[in-house]
Amino acid sequence: TIDQLRQEGYGIDAAPKRGYTLASVPDRLDTALVRAHLSGHPWQTLVTAVPSVDSTNNACKRLAAEGAPDGPVVLTGCQTAGKGRRGRTFVSPPGGLYFSVILRPHAKPEALMHLTAMAAVAAARAVFAVSDDLVLGGKKLCGILTEIGIEAESREVDYAVVGIGINCARVDLPPEVSAMSASLEAFTGQKPDRARLAAALVRSLCELEQALFTEKDAWLREFAAHCITI
């Protein structure tokens, strides 16, 4: 019913003798909603949104160990044990977008040294796809963690899990984190549509997979053009 939809966060305008108009949709990470933004995409049915998870990277690693194919995505708005680089904790309060994908590249580990840099390009493309003319003032908007599993006999990569966490909304963060962090809401003045952003990430990472070995140089030039730490 209309009342039920309003209770779920949908904005619905009513006009006498003209019926109802959908004015806005809630900012929620729902599997069906993200998949709706991916109509016809080859990874559309591989996307799963969960209310909360320890770590989307851990969730994807568990799926990979069970034999999941190339392309499954796990995303959430809250991680209870988010993982950062070098064993650090990645603070993951409600309101962000925390996202991991399983890739199955057939390569030696040393052939994937550029994967994280390309993931940064994919994340930037997705952000710009939903937030025009975005300037982030040198602060950290996104964290990326790439983990790989190695086949014991061949020593080739069995799977690569690329995890991306994006600060979407203004949230309370520990002082040591907030001083260096940015959010899309803070810089654009409005909360992003996280379902659209998640779908844009899926598209960008699918493009990354297709370009991983054939367009490496072009992607790394794009990375270098935007990287402030080089």
Side-chain angles (χ1 to χ4, degrees):
T1 66
I2 296 298
D3 288 341
Q4 182 178 357
L5 289 172
R6 283 174 170 157
Q7 289 174 7
E8 292 177 2
Y10 289 87
I12 298 177
D13 295 335
K17 299 182 180 179
R18 288 191 297 171
Y20 298 93
T21 302
L22 181 63
S24 63
V25 296
D27 174 35
R28 61 191 178 115
L29 289 171
D30 174 88
T31 299
L33 194 55
V34 177
R35 289 183 180 183
H37 289 295
L38 290 166
S39 179
H41 192 276
W43 288 359
Q44 180 186 24
T45 59
L46 300 178
V47 175
T48 302
V50 295
S52 177
V53 69
D54 58 343
S55 158
T56 57
N57 263 35
N58 283 349
C60 278
K61 288 165 67 177
R62 289 190 288 267
L63 291 174
E66 294 169 1
D70 182 77
V73 169
V74 176
L75 59 96
T76 187
C78 179
Q79 293 184 126
T80 58
K83 299 166 63 179
R85 293 184 302 124
R86 300 174 184 172
R88 299 189 186 105
T89 297
F90 187 84
V91 180
S92 314
L97 171 60
Y98 313 109
F99 176 113
S100 296
V101 61
I102 300 171
L103 304 178
R104 295 281 191 181
H106 299 288
K108 296 289 186 181
E110 57 269 25
L112 296 179
M113 298 296 290
H114 60 295
L115 176 56
T116 300
M118 288 181 68
V121 173
R125 288 181 179 182
V127 169
F128 281 111
V130 300
S131 301
D132 295 335
D133 301 321
L134 188 64
V135 178
L136 294 175
K139 291 192 173 183
K140 186 174 180 178
L141 172 74
C142 170
I144 299 173
L145 176 64
T146 301
E147 298 182 276
I148 60 174
I150 309 295
E151 291 181 342
E153 294 185 6
S154 69
R155 303 305 296 168
E156 287 196 348
V157 174
D158 179 26
Y159 64 82
V161 170
V162 178
I164 299 174
I166 300 179
N167 300 328
C168 294
R170 291 188 180 96
V171 295
D172 291 328
L173 295 170
E176 66 275 14
V177 177
S178 62
M180 63 181 69
S181 297
S183 74
L184 286 173
E185 182 183 13
F187 277 90
T188 65
Q190 60 184 7
K191 292 181 180 179
D193 183 333
R194 290 183 298 165
R196 278 187 61 219
L197 179 56
L201 266 177
V202 171
R203 295 182 187 279
S204 290
L205 287 163
C206 185
E207 292 171 2
L208 176 157
E209 186 196 42
Q210 295 169 355
L212 187 58
F213 300 114
T214 59
E215 299 176 38
K216 169 185 172 181
D217 291 345
W219 280 63
L220 290 183
R221 283 195 298 271
E222 186 174 341
F223 172 79
H226 296 287
C227 184
I228 65 172
T229 59
I230 293 178

